[in-house]
Amino acid sequence: MDELTDRYQKLVDSLLIRHQSILDILTKGQETSARVNRAVVKSVTTCGCLAVKAEKPSIPKDATLSDLKQLLNSQLEGELCENCRDIIITELGKQLFYIAALANTLNISLKDVLAQEEQRLTTLTIFNLS
């Protein structure tokens, strides 16, 4: 995995020509995030392969933090069709490109980001309520 993140960051660095300004990278990152959101919404509203069943969850007063994993869910029904899956993967890839570009611009290793986040999640375990 370390080799993959290093190779990916180097590739992004070699390909990022037009949007090298930190302002461009930040705004392109926001744009790609919106495109990911839009692709997921389209899987519900246009394709219909997914449906959203959203309602307030019923949480018993005596529920523990570990119970919440079973009581709460994504509120999604269905499964992504191949077309929607491909579109979302493409949009996530573009989003990842600008995350790597931002990390490169700030001289931050994605490997370090992942390692630090993994350590934080491992330390906090179920108490990670972000």
Side-chain angles (χ1 to χ4, degrees):
M1 183 69 159
D2 291 348
E3 288 181 27
L4 177 60
T5 56
D6 290 343
R7 279 196 330 264
Y8 187 75
Q9 271 194 272
K10 288 177 185 171
L11 180 60
V12 168
D13 190 50
S14 72
L15 296 174
L16 190 68
I17 296 169
R18 197 166 142 225
H19 300 288
Q20 290 189 32
S21 161
I22 188 71
L23 298 176
D24 283 341
I25 293 168
L26 290 171
T27 57
K28 289 298 282 184
Q30 287 179 322
E31 179 183 323
T32 59
S33 180
R35 292 179 66 88
V36 169
N37 294 347
R38 182 72 174 147
V40 173
V41 168
K42 288 283 213 178
S43 70
V44 174
T45 61
T46 300
C47 177
C49 61
L50 291 181
V52 177
K53 183 180 179 196
E55 54 188 36
K56 183 178 178 181
S58 176
I59 301 173
K61 291 183 188 265
D62 62 342
T64 65
L65 281 176
S66 59
D67 292 336
L68 292 180
K69 183 72 175 161
Q70 301 301 318
L71 295 169
L72 303 175
N73 62 51
S74 69
Q75 300 178 330
L76 285 176
E77 292 181 349
E79 192 171 312
L80 285 172
C81 69
E82 188 176 327
N83 183 56
C84 289
R85 182 178 196 78
D86 288 344
I87 291 168
I88 292 170
I89 287 173
T90 298
E91 296 301 343
L92 284 170
K94 292 174 186 177
Q95 186 176 33
L96 184 57
F97 179 91
Y98 285 102
I99 289 170
L102 180 59
N104 286 346
T105 301
L106 298 172
N107 199 26
I108 295 173
S109 164
L110 285 179
K111 178 175 58 178
D112 293 343
V113 172
L114 290 171
Q116 183 174 321
E117 183 62 9
E118 179 184 39
Q119 179 62 44
R120 187 182 73 78
L121 293 173
T122 302
T123 302
L124 296 174
T125 62
I126 196 150
F127 299 102
N128 177 46
L129 298 176
S130 55

